[in-house]
Amino acid sequence: MEIKNVAIVGLGALGIMYGKHLVDRLGVDAVRIVADHDRIERYKKDGILCNGEPCTFRYVAADEPMEPADLLIFAVKYTGLKSAIANAKNQIGKQTIILSVLNGISSEQVIGGTFGFDQLLYCIVAGMDASKVGNELTYKNLGFISFGEANDVRSKKVQALAHFFDKVSIPYEIPEHMMHKMWSKLMVNTGVNQSTAVFATNYGGIQVPGKPRDTVIAAMKEVVKVANSEGVNLQESEIAGWLKINDALNPEGMPSMRQDTLQHRPTEVELFAGTIRKLGKKHGIPTPVNDFLYTKIEEIESAYSH
């Protein structure tokens, strides 16, 4: 099992970042960007810039029959996952490895429910500071990808992906407990993404003492309680490690949800506060901080049209 070519569905911040990185190392023919016809026309017309450089991408239409990809990466927002899955069906064969770089703990269940779980690896991404405004992406840190099987077996898929990431110089780790890692990342996103959106700030605003940083920490503590009730051994002591990672990011950068509210795009609040509130109710755990963040983000989104 060797990965020689990649299909990417979605050209948001991560799709562009990984797409450009892979094209630079594998060549334009080995990387395909999959989209519908209208979106492809728009990409070609407007162009895409990554750190000031024009991106040369090979676009393929979703309805075009073709050889399956060795690796398929979903890099859309959760709000666009359903249409992304429909667009990806011609990319998948029996040997295709499927990876989702979406936030939260839900996308793998949705993708696996459609294509089966046998070819899917669980994944989180962290440590990048990619910021997309219009058709321009800027970033300094590529971050790293954590991936593995749900049962933590070092399968042939896991080995093949590790070998591929070594070849293309993408930093990665294979955690001992993948589902713990997924919840840990949900914890940081629930704190950082939502607090920067609600307090209208960047990473710098949560790197210093104050209400935004306090809210980040309080929201993360609620995730710990919910995770524990779901049988995941998340610990409050892990919060400090995530704060250290975020404190090292470019202060002028901002997470995806803050970028969304700035550009009046739908957010992934249902993935973060939505998930924690729902599971909190299930287990009888109060989630006042996530209730506050959820309400505020709904207010921000409802004001877009005014």
Side-chain angles (χ1 to χ4, degrees), residues 64-83:
E64 187 182 323
M66 64 186 61
E67 283 292 306
D70 298 329
L71 173 65
L72 169 64
I73 299 174
F74 283 97
V76 294
K77 291 280 170 144
Y78 189 70
T79 49
L81 182 57
K82 191 175 177 183
S83 61

Side-chain angles (χ1 to χ4, degrees), residues 37-68:
H37 291 276
D38 290 346
R39 200 174 289 265
I40 289 171
E41 286 307 309
R42 195 163 73 247
Y43 290 153
K44 287 179 175 177
K45 179 172 169 279
D46 298 343
I48 292 169
L49 296 176
C50 180
N51 286 340
E53 282 185 41
C55 295
T56 305
F57 287 140
R58 174 191 167 208
Y59 298 108
V60 300
D63 57 5
E64 187 182 323
M66 64 186 61
E67 283 292 306

Side-chain angles (χ1 to χ4, degrees), residues 275-294:
T275 298
I276 301 309
R277 295 171 83 225
K278 187 165 62 182
L279 292 173
K281 286 190 180 76
K282 173 184 163 186
H283 295 291
I285 297 167
T287 56
V289 180
N290 276 284
D291 292 342
F292 160 75
L293 291 167
Y294 188 90

Side-chain angles (χ1 to χ4, degrees), residues 259-280:
Q259 295 176 43
D260 289 338
T261 55
L262 269 175
Q263 297 183 62
H264 291 192
R265 296 188 297 232
T267 73
E268 295 182 306
V269 69
E270 290 298 340
L271 275 183
F272 304 144
T275 298
I276 301 309
R277 295 171 83 225
K278 187 165 62 182
L279 292 173

Side-chain angles (χ1 to χ4, degrees), residues 134-174:
N135 64 340
E136 296 190 34
L137 177 85
T138 53
Y139 77 94
K140 289 182 182 176
N141 299 302
L142 191 65
F144 62 92
I145 297 179
S146 297
F147 67 90
E149 300 278 9
N151 61 5
D152 302 316
V153 169
R154 297 290 179 104
S155 64
K156 286 182 179 175
K157 292 203 300 288
V158 170
Q159 293 170 43
L161 193 58
H163 178 71
F164 177 70
F165 284 159
D166 284 334
K167 186 171 82 170
V168 297
S169 303
I170 289 179
Y172 70 90
E173 64 173 11
I174 304 167

Side-chain angles (χ1 to χ4, degrees), residues 13-25:
L14 294 184
I16 295 171
M17 185 180 79
Y18 290 130
K20 176 76 163 61
H21 184 89
L22 290 169
V23 166
D24 287 349
R25 282 148 188 83

Side-chain angles (χ1 to χ4, degrees), residues 78 103-107 109-110 182-183 185-187 189-190 194 219 222-223 225-227 229-230 257 268-283 285-287 290-291 293-294:
Y78 189 70
N103 288 317
I105 56 171
S106 311
S107 68
Q109 299 308 312
V110 179
M182 300 277 291
W183 269 92
K185 182 66 195 307
L186 175 63
M187 175 177 74
N189 280 340
T190 297
Q194 298 187 131
E222 290 181 356
V223 179
K225 289 176 183 169
V226 169
S229 296
E230 283 285 295
M257 188 178 280
E268 295 182 306
V269 69
E270 290 298 340
L271 275 183
F272 304 144
T275 298
I276 301 309
R277 295 171 83 225
K278 187 165 62 182
L279 292 173
K281 286 190 180 76
K282 173 184 163 186
H283 295 291
I285 297 167
T287 56
N290 276 284
D291 292 342
L293 291 167
Y294 188 90

